[in-house]
Amino acid sequence: MKTQNIGSNFDDFLMQEGMLEEAAAVAVKRVIAWQIAQEMKGQKMTKTSLAEKMRTSRASLNRLLDENDASLTLTTLTGAAAALGKKVKIELVPA
């Protein structure tokens, strides 16, 4: 007996289940959180000192670094980047 494929790949499956955008957002957030954490480590900066430089709470910074929390504002992201001596570059690419 031959079984029918639900989707030709994992992206198709996620799209059919209505989860593609959410999965993409979580993936992007994980990369951003990882990059910020790596930069903090490289600069030997603690969460407390980064939060102070960003003029925000440590709880807010913890949400930024939480790779499973896909909510992220550009203001928070650019603030973290500036506090680390970096800037943010975002671009749209073909789907």
Side-chain angles (χ1 to χ4, degrees):
M1 176 186 272
K2 192 173 186 178
T3 60
Q4 181 179 352
N5 290 339
I6 293 174
S8 61
N9 62 39
F10 192 60
D11 284 351
D12 288 343
F13 169 76
L14 290 174
M15 189 179 309
Q16 289 173 358
E17 296 297 316
M19 299 183 312
L20 183 60
E21 289 82 11
E22 181 181 346
V26 170
V28 168
K29 174 63 186 291
R30 285 183 176 179
V31 171
I32 291 169
W34 180 82
Q35 288 176 328
I36 291 171
Q38 290 301 303
E39 192 61 37
M40 288 173 61
K41 185 177 179 181
Q43 294 185 27
K44 296 179 173 51
M45 187 176 291
T46 65
K47 288 180 181 180
T48 301
S49 62
L50 180 57
E52 288 172 1
K53 285 183 87 170
M54 291 173 63
R55 296 187 180 108
T56 192
S57 67
R58 185 166 166 175
S60 178
L61 179 60
N62 283 336
R63 283 190 299 275
L64 172 64
L65 294 173
D66 180 355
E67 63 184 34
N68 295 311
D69 181 352
S71 65
L72 174 65
T73 67
L74 292 177
T75 302
T76 302
L77 179 56
T78 56
L84 291 165
K86 302 291 181 181
K87 64 181 181 177
V88 175
K89 178 182 175 184
I90 298 173
E91 64 181 288
L92 297 178
V93 296

